[in-house]
Amino acid sequence: MSVLDDWTRKAIDELGLDPAVLDQRLILDVARDVAHGVTRPAAPLGTFLLGVVVGQGATLAEAAERLTKLAQEWPAR
């Protein structure tokens, strides 16, 4: 078990979330794609927005796909 896994489990418990809502790898992949495709500071903002839209009823997979596509299509700096 990694430190990240331990922290994630504790954070889920602390926030009273259902562990089934989390796809750690998918969320980290979105953060990576946004950081590399847009700019590093956009990664936490992108994952926050991902959480907001999922909280409003979108599926995690669909929202992640949309953000990843947006990051991949972002004009090169």
Coordinates of all heavy atoms in Angstrom, one line a residue:
M1 N 0.8 -1.2 0.0 CA 0.0 0.0 0.0 C 0.9 1.2 0.0 O 1.8 1.3 0.8 CB -0.9 0.0 1.2 CG -2.0 0.9 1.2 SD -3.3 0.6 0.0 CE -3.8 -1.1 0.3
S2 N 0.6 2.2 -0.9 CA 1.4 3.4 -1.0 C 0.8 4.5 0.0 O -0.3 4.4 0.5 CB 1.3 3.9 -2.4 OG 0.1 4.5 -2.7
V3 N 1.7 5.5 0.2 CA 1.2 6.7 0.9 C 0.0 7.3 0.3 O -0.9 7.7 1.0 CB 2.4 7.7 1.1 CG1 1.9 9.0 1.7 CG2 3.6 7.1 1.8
L4 N 0.0 7.4 -1.0 CA -1.1 8.0 -1.7 C -2.4 7.2 -1.5 O -3.5 7.8 -1.2 CB -0.9 8.0 -3.2 CG -2.0 8.6 -4.1 CD1 -2.4 10.0 -3.7 CD2 -1.6 8.5 -5.6
D5 N -2.3 5.9 -1.5 CA -3.5 5.0 -1.2 C -4.0 5.2 0.2 O -5.2 5.3 0.5 CB -3.2 3.5 -1.4 CG -2.9 3.2 -2.9 OD1 -3.5 3.9 -3.8 OD2 -2.2 2.3 -3.2
D6 N -3.0 5.3 1.2 CA -3.4 5.5 2.6 C -4.1 6.8 2.8 O -5.1 6.9 3.4 CB -2.1 5.4 3.5 CG -1.5 4.0 3.6 OD1 -2.2 3.0 3.3 OD2 -0.4 3.9 4.0
W7 N -3.5 7.9 2.2 CA -4.0 9.2 2.3 C -5.4 9.3 1.7 O -6.3 9.9 2.2 CB -3.1 10.2 1.7 CG -3.6 11.6 1.9 CD1 -3.4 12.4 3.0 CD2 -4.5 12.4 1.1 NE1 -4.0 13.6 2.9 CE2 -4.8 13.6 1.7 CE3 -5.2 12.1 -0.1 CZ2 -5.6 14.6 1.2 CZ3 -6.0 13.1 -0.7 CH2 -6.2 14.3 0.0
T8 N -5.6 8.7 0.5 CA -6.8 8.7 -0.2 C -7.9 8.0 0.6 O -9.0 8.6 0.8 CB -6.7 8.0 -1.6 OG1 -5.7 8.7 -2.3 CG2 -8.0 8.0 -2.3
R9 N -7.6 6.9 1.2 CA -8.6 6.2 2.1 C -9.0 7.0 3.3 O -10.2 7.2 3.6 CB -8.1 4.8 2.5 CG -8.5 3.7 1.6 CD -8.2 2.4 2.3 NE -7.0 2.6 2.9 CZ -5.8 2.0 2.9 NH1 -5.7 1.1 2.4 NH2 -4.7 2.2 3.4
K10 N -8.0 7.7 3.9 CA -8.3 8.5 5.1 C -9.1 9.7 4.6 O -10.0 10.2 5.4 CB -7.0 9.0 5.7 CG -6.2 7.9 6.4 CD -6.9 7.5 7.7 CE -6.0 6.5 8.4 NZ -6.6 6.0 9.6
A11 N -8.8 10.3 3.5 CA -9.5 11.5 3.0 C -11.0 11.1 2.7 O -11.9 11.9 3.1 CB -8.9 12.1 1.8
I12 N -11.2 10.0 2.1 CA -12.6 9.5 1.8 C -13.3 9.3 3.1 O -14.5 9.8 3.2 CB -12.5 8.2 1.0 CG1 -12.1 8.5 -0.4 CG2 -13.9 7.5 1.0 CD1 -11.8 7.3 -1.3
D13 N -12.7 8.7 4.1 CA -13.3 8.5 5.4 C -13.6 9.9 6.1 O -14.7 10.1 6.6 CB -12.4 7.7 6.3 CG -12.3 6.3 6.0 OD1 -13.2 5.8 5.1 OD2 -11.4 5.6 6.5
E14 N -12.7 10.8 6.0 CA -12.8 12.1 6.7 C -14.0 12.9 6.1 O -14.7 13.6 6.8 CB -11.5 12.9 6.5 CG -11.6 14.3 7.1 CD -11.7 14.3 8.7 OE1 -11.2 13.3 9.3 OE2 -12.2 15.3 9.2
L15 N -14.2 12.8 4.7 CA -15.2 13.5 4.0 C -16.5 12.8 4.0 O -17.5 13.3 3.5 CB -14.7 13.8 2.6 CG -13.5 14.8 2.5 CD1 -13.0 14.9 1.1 CD2 -13.8 16.1 3.1
G16 N -16.5 11.5 4.5 CA -17.8 10.8 4.5 C -18.3 10.3 3.1 O -19.5 10.3 2.9
L17 N -17.3 10.1 2.3 CA -17.6 9.7 0.9 C -17.7 8.2 0.7 O -17.1 7.4 1.5 CB -16.6 10.2 -0.1 CG -16.5 11.7 -0.2 CD1 -15.3 12.1 -1.1 CD2 -17.8 12.3 -0.7
D18 N -18.4 7.7 -0.3 CA -18.5 6.3 -0.6 C -17.3 6.0 -1.5 O -17.1 6.7 -2.5 CB -19.8 6.1 -1.4 CG -19.9 4.7 -1.9 OD1 -19.0 3.8 -1.7 OD2 -20.9 4.4 -2.6
P19 N -16.4 5.1 -1.0 CA -15.2 4.8 -1.8 C -15.5 4.4 -3.3 O -14.6 4.5 -4.1 CB -14.6 3.6 -1.0 CG -15.2 3.7 0.3 CD -16.5 4.3 0.2
A20 N -16.7 3.9 -3.5 CA -17.1 3.5 -4.9 C -17.1 4.6 -5.9 O -17.0 4.4 -7.1 CB -18.4 2.8 -4.9
V21 N -17.1 5.9 -5.4 CA -17.2 7.0 -6.3 C -15.8 7.4 -6.8 O -15.6 8.2 -7.8 CB -17.8 8.3 -5.7 CG1 -19.2 8.0 -5.2 CG2 -16.9 8.8 -4.6
L22 N -14.8 6.8 -6.3 CA -13.4 7.2 -6.6 C -12.8 6.2 -7.7 O -12.8 5.0 -7.5 CB -12.5 7.1 -5.4 CG -11.0 7.5 -5.6 CD1 -10.9 8.9 -6.0 CD2 -10.2 7.1 -4.4
D23 N -12.2 6.8 -8.7 CA -11.4 6.1 -9.6 C -10.0 6.8 -9.6 O -9.8 7.7 -10.4 CB -12.0 6.0 -11.0 CG -11.2 5.2 -12.0 OD1 -9.9 5.0 -11.8 OD2 -11.7 4.7 -13.0
Q24 N -9.2 6.5 -8.7 CA -8.0 7.2 -8.4 C -7.1 7.3 -9.7 O -6.6 8.4 -10.0 CB -7.2 6.5 -7.3 CG -5.9 7.2 -7.0 CD -5.2 6.5 -5.8 OE1 -5.8 6.0 -4.9 NE2 -3.9 6.5 -5.8
R25 N -6.9 6.3 -10.4 CA -6.1 6.3 -11.6 C -6.7 7.3 -12.7 O -6.0 8.1 -13.3 CB -6.0 4.9 -12.2 CG -5.2 4.8 -13.5 CD -3.8 5.3 -13.5 NE -3.0 5.2 -12.3 CZ -2.1 6.0 -11.9 NH1 -1.7 7.0 -12.7 NH2 -1.4 5.9 -10.8
L26 N -8.0 7.2 -12.9 CA -8.6 8.1 -13.9 C -8.5 9.6 -13.5 O -8.1 10.4 -14.3 CB -10.1 7.8 -14.0 CG -10.9 8.6 -15.0 CD1 -10.4 8.3 -16.4 CD2 -12.4 8.2 -14.9
I27 N -8.6 9.9 -12.2 CA -8.5 11.3 -11.8 C -7.1 11.8 -11.9 O -6.8 12.9 -12.4 CB -9.0 11.4 -10.3 CG1 -10.5 11.1 -10.3 CG2 -8.7 12.8 -9.8 CD1 -11.1 10.9 -8.9
L28 N -6.1 10.9 -11.6 CA -4.7 11.3 -11.7 C -4.3 11.4 -13.2 O -3.5 12.3 -13.6 CB -3.8 10.3 -11.0 CG -3.9 10.2 -9.5 CD1 -3.1 9.1 -8.9 CD2 -3.5 11.6 -8.9
D29 N -4.9 10.6 -14.0 CA -4.7 10.7 -15.5 C -5.2 12.0 -16.0 O -4.5 12.7 -16.8 CB -5.3 9.6 -16.3 CG -4.6 8.2 -16.1 OD1 -3.4 8.2 -15.5 OD2 -5.1 7.2 -16.5
V30 N -6.3 12.5 -15.6 CA -6.9 13.8 -16.0 C -5.9 14.9 -15.6 O -5.6 15.8 -16.3 CB -8.3 14.0 -15.5 CG1 -8.8 15.4 -15.7 CG2 -9.3 13.0 -16.2
A31 N -5.5 14.8 -14.3 CA -4.6 15.8 -13.8 C -3.3 15.9 -14.6 O -2.8 17.0 -14.9 CB -4.3 15.6 -12.3
R32 N -2.8 14.7 -14.9 CA -1.6 14.7 -15.7 C -1.8 15.3 -17.1 O -1.0 16.1 -17.6 CB -1.1 13.2 -15.9 CG 0.1 13.0 -16.8 CD 0.2 11.6 -17.3 NE -0.9 11.3 -18.2 CZ -1.5 10.2 -18.2 NH1 -1.1 9.2 -17.5 NH2 -2.6 10.0 -19.0
D33 N -2.9 14.9 -17.8 CA -3.2 15.4 -19.1 C -3.4 16.9 -19.1 O -2.9 17.6 -20.0 CB -4.4 14.7 -19.7 CG -4.1 13.2 -19.9 OD1 -3.0 12.8 -20.0 OD2 -5.1 12.5 -20.1
V34 N -4.1 17.4 -18.1 CA -4.3 18.9 -18.0 C -2.9 19.6 -17.7 O -2.6 20.6 -18.4 CB -5.4 19.2 -17.0 CG1 -5.4 20.7 -16.8 CG2 -6.7 18.7 -17.4
A35 N -2.2 19.0 -16.8 CA -0.9 19.7 -16.5 C 0.0 19.7 -17.7 O 0.7 20.7 -17.9 CB -0.2 18.9 -15.3
H36 N 0.1 18.7 -18.5 CA 1.0 18.6 -19.6 C 0.4 19.3 -20.8 O 1.2 19.9 -21.6 CB 1.3 17.2 -20.0 CG 2.2 16.5 -18.9 ND1 3.4 15.9 -19.2 CD2 2.0 16.3 -17.6 CE1 3.9 15.4 -18.1 NE2 3.1 15.7 -17.1
G37 N -0.9 19.3 -21.0 CA -1.5 19.8 -22.2 C -1.8 21.3 -22.1 O -1.9 22.0 -23.1
V38 N -2.0 21.8 -20.9 CA -2.4 23.2 -20.7 C -1.3 23.9 -19.9 O -0.4 24.5 -20.5 CB -3.7 23.3 -19.9 CG1 -4.2 24.8 -19.8 CG2 -4.8 22.5 -20.7
T39 N -1.3 23.7 -18.6 CA -0.2 24.2 -17.7 C -0.4 23.6 -16.4 O -1.5 23.2 -16.0 CB -0.3 25.8 -17.6 OG1 0.8 26.3 -16.8 CG2 -1.6 26.3 -17.0
R40 N 0.7 23.4 -15.6 CA 0.7 22.7 -14.4 C -0.4 23.2 -13.4 O -1.1 22.4 -12.8 CB 2.0 22.7 -13.7 CG 3.0 21.8 -14.5 CD 4.3 21.7 -13.8 NE 4.2 20.9 -12.6 CZ 5.2 20.7 -11.7 NH1 6.3 21.3 -11.9 NH2 5.0 20.0 -10.7
P41 N -0.5 24.5 -13.2 CA -1.5 25.0 -12.3 C -3.0 24.7 -12.7 O -3.9 24.7 -11.8 CB -1.3 26.5 -12.2 CG 0.1 26.7 -12.7 CD 0.3 25.6 -13.7
A42 N -3.2 24.3 -13.9 CA -4.5 23.9 -14.4 C -5.0 22.5 -13.9 O -6.1 22.2 -13.8 CB -4.6 24.0 -15.9
A43 N -4.0 21.7 -13.4 CA -4.3 20.4 -13.0 C -5.2 20.3 -11.8 O -6.3 19.6 -11.8 CB -3.0 19.6 -12.8
P44 N -4.9 21.0 -10.7 CA -5.8 21.0 -9.6 C -7.2 21.6 -9.9 O -8.2 21.2 -9.4 CB -5.1 21.7 -8.4 CG -4.0 22.4 -9.0 CD -3.7 21.7 -10.4
L45 N -7.1 22.7 -10.7 CA -8.4 23.3 -11.1 C -9.2 22.4 -11.9 O -10.5 22.3 -11.7 CB -8.1 24.6 -11.8 CG -7.5 25.7 -11.0 CD1 -7.1 26.9 -11.8 CD2 -8.3 26.1 -9.8
G46 N -8.6 21.7 -12.8 CA -9.3 20.7 -13.7 C -9.9 19.6 -12.9 O -11.1 19.2 -13.1
T47 N -9.2 19.1 -11.9 CA -9.7 18.0 -11.1 C -10.8 18.5 -10.2 O -11.8 17.8 -9.9 CB -8.7 17.2 -10.3 OG1 -7.9 18.1 -9.5 CG2 -7.7 16.5 -11.3
F48 N -10.7 19.7 -9.7 CA -11.8 20.3 -8.9 C -13.1 20.4 -9.8 O -14.2 20.0 -9.3 CB -11.4 21.7 -8.4 CG -12.6 22.4 -7.7 CD1 -13.0 22.1 -6.4 CD2 -13.3 23.4 -8.4 CE1 -14.1 22.7 -5.9 CE2 -14.4 24.0 -7.8 CZ -14.7 23.7 -6.6
L49 N -12.9 20.9 -11.0 CA -14.1 21.1 -11.9 C -14.7 19.7 -12.2 O -15.9 19.5 -12.3 CB -13.7 21.8 -13.2 CG -13.3 23.3 -13.0 CD1 -12.7 23.8 -14.2 CD2 -14.4 24.1 -12.4
L50 N -13.8 18.7 -12.3 CA -14.3 17.3 -12.6 C -15.2 16.9 -11.4 O -16.3 16.4 -11.6 CB -13.0 16.4 -12.7 CG -13.3 14.9 -12.9 CD1 -13.9 14.7 -14.3 CD2 -12.0 14.2 -12.8
G51 N -14.7 17.2 -10.2 CA -15.5 16.8 -9.0 C -16.8 17.5 -8.9 O -17.9 17.0 -8.6
V52 N -16.8 18.8 -9.3 CA -18.1 19.6 -9.3 C -19.1 19.0 -10.3 O -20.2 18.8 -9.9 CB -17.8 21.1 -9.6 CG1 -19.1 21.8 -9.9 CG2 -17.0 21.7 -8.5
V53 N -18.6 18.8 -11.5 CA -19.6 18.3 -12.5 C -20.1 16.8 -12.2 O -21.2 16.5 -12.4 CB -19.0 18.4 -13.9 CG1 -18.0 17.3 -14.2 CG2 -20.1 18.3 -15.0
V54 N -19.2 16.0 -11.6 CA -19.7 14.7 -11.1 C -20.7 14.9 -10.0 O -21.7 14.2 -9.9 CB -18.5 13.8 -10.7 CG1 -18.9 12.6 -10.0 CG2 -17.7 13.5 -12.0
G55 N -20.4 15.8 -9.1 CA -21.4 16.1 -8.0 C -22.7 16.6 -8.5 O -23.7 16.4 -7.8
Q56 N -22.7 17.1 -9.7 CA -24.0 17.6 -10.3 C -24.7 16.5 -11.1 O -25.7 16.8 -11.8 CB -23.7 18.8 -11.2 CG -23.3 20.0 -10.4 CD -23.0 21.2 -11.2 OE1 -22.7 21.1 -12.4 NE2 -22.9 22.4 -10.6
G57 N -24.1 15.3 -11.2 CA -24.7 14.2 -11.8 C -24.1 13.6 -13.0 O -24.5 12.6 -13.5
A58 N -23.0 14.2 -13.6 CA -22.3 13.6 -14.7 C -21.5 12.4 -14.2 O -21.2 12.3 -13.1 CB -21.3 14.6 -15.3
T59 N -21.3 11.5 -15.2 CA -20.5 10.3 -14.8 C -19.0 10.7 -14.8 O -18.6 11.6 -15.6 CB -20.6 9.2 -15.8 OG1 -20.1 9.5 -17.1 CG2 -22.1 8.7 -15.9
L60 N -18.2 10.1 -13.9 CA -16.8 10.4 -13.8 C -16.1 10.1 -15.1 O -15.3 10.9 -15.6 CB -16.2 9.6 -12.7 CG -14.7 9.8 -12.5 CD1 -14.3 11.2 -12.2 CD2 -14.2 8.9 -11.4
A61 N -16.4 9.0 -15.8 CA -15.7 8.6 -17.0 C -16.0 9.6 -18.1 O -15.1 10.0 -18.8 CB -16.2 7.2 -17.4
E62 N -17.3 10.1 -18.3 CA -17.6 11.0 -19.3 C -17.0 12.4 -19.1 O -16.4 13.0 -20.0 CB -19.1 11.2 -19.4 CG -19.6 12.2 -20.5 CD -21.1 12.4 -20.5 OE1 -21.8 11.5 -20.2 OE2 -21.4 13.5 -20.8
A63 N -17.0 12.8 -17.9 CA -16.5 14.1 -17.6 C -14.9 14.1 -17.7 O -14.4 15.0 -18.3 CB -16.8 14.6 -16.1
A64 N -14.3 13.0 -17.3 CA -12.9 12.9 -17.5 C -12.5 12.9 -18.9 O -11.5 13.5 -19.3 CB -12.4 11.6 -16.8
E65 N -13.3 12.2 -19.7 CA -13.0 12.1 -21.2 C -13.1 13.5 -21.8 O -12.3 13.9 -22.6 CB -14.0 11.2 -21.8 CG -13.8 11.0 -23.3 CD -14.8 10.0 -24.0 OE1 -15.2 9.1 -23.3 OE2 -15.2 10.3 -25.1
R66 N -14.1 14.3 -21.4 CA -14.3 15.6 -22.0 C -13.1 16.5 -21.6 O -12.6 17.3 -22.4 CB -15.6 16.2 -21.5 CG -16.8 15.5 -22.1 CD -18.1 15.9 -21.6 NE -18.3 17.3 -21.9 CZ -19.3 18.0 -21.4 NH1 -20.2 17.5 -20.5 NH2 -19.5 19.3 -21.7
L67 N -12.7 16.5 -20.3 CA -11.6 17.3 -19.9 C -10.3 16.9 -20.5 O -9.4 17.8 -20.9 CB -11.4 17.3 -18.3 CG -12.4 18.2 -17.6 CD1 -12.2 18.1 -16.1 CD2 -12.3 19.7 -18.0
T68 N -10.0 15.6 -20.6 CA -8.8 15.1 -21.3 C -8.8 15.6 -22.7 O -7.7 16.0 -23.2 CB -8.7 13.6 -21.2 OG1 -8.6 13.2 -19.8 CG2 -7.6 13.0 -21.9
K69 N -9.9 15.4 -23.4 CA -10.0 15.9 -24.8 C -9.7 17.4 -24.9 O -8.9 17.8 -25.8 CB -11.3 15.6 -25.4 CG -11.5 15.9 -26.9 CD -12.8 15.4 -27.4 CE -12.9 15.5 -28.9 NZ -13.6 16.7 -29.4
L70 N -10.3 18.2 -24.1 CA -10.0 19.6 -24.1 C -8.5 19.9 -23.9 O -7.9 20.7 -24.6 CB -10.8 20.3 -23.0 CG -10.7 21.8 -22.8 CD1 -11.1 22.5 -24.1 CD2 -11.4 22.3 -21.6
A71 N -7.9 19.2 -22.9 CA -6.5 19.4 -22.6 C -5.6 19.0 -23.8 O -4.6 19.7 -24.2 CB -6.1 18.7 -21.4
Q72 N -6.0 17.9 -24.4 CA -5.2 17.4 -25.6 C -5.3 18.3 -26.8 O -4.4 18.4 -27.6 CB -5.6 16.0 -26.0 CG -5.2 15.0 -24.9 CD -5.8 13.6 -25.1 OE1 -6.8 13.4 -25.8 NE2 -5.2 12.6 -24.5
E73 N -6.4 19.0 -26.9 CA -6.6 19.9 -28.1 C -6.2 21.3 -27.8 O -6.3 22.2 -28.7 CB -8.1 19.9 -28.4 CG -8.6 18.5 -29.0 CD -10.1 18.5 -29.2 OE1 -10.8 19.4 -28.8 OE2 -10.5 17.5 -29.9
W74 N -5.7 21.6 -26.5 CA -5.3 22.9 -26.2 C -4.2 23.3 -27.0 O -3.2 22.6 -27.2 CB -5.0 22.9 -24.7 CG -5.0 24.3 -24.1 CD1 -3.9 25.1 -23.8 CD2 -6.2 25.1 -23.8 NE1 -4.4 26.3 -23.4 CE2 -5.7 26.3 -23.4 CE3 -7.5 24.9 -24.0 CZ2 -6.6 27.4 -23.0 CZ3 -8.4 25.9 -23.6 CH2 -7.9 27.1 -23.1
P75 N -4.2 24.6 -27.5 CA -3.1 25.1 -28.4 C -1.7 25.0 -27.6 O -1.6 25.3 -26.4 CB -3.4 26.5 -28.7 CG -4.9 26.6 -28.4 CD -5.2 25.6 -27.3
A76 N -0.7 24.6 -28.3 CA 0.7 24.5 -27.7 C 1.1 25.9 -27.3 O 0.8 26.9 -27.9 CB 1.6 23.9 -28.7
R77 N 1.8 25.9 -26.2 CA 2.3 27.2 -25.7 C 3.5 27.7 -26.4 O 4.3 27.0 -26.9 CB 2.6 27.2 -24.2 CG 2.1 26.1 -23.4 CD 2.6 26.2 -22.0 NE 3.2 25.0 -21.5 CZ 2.5 24.1 -20.9 NH1 1.3 24.2 -20.6 NH2 3.1 23.0 -20.5

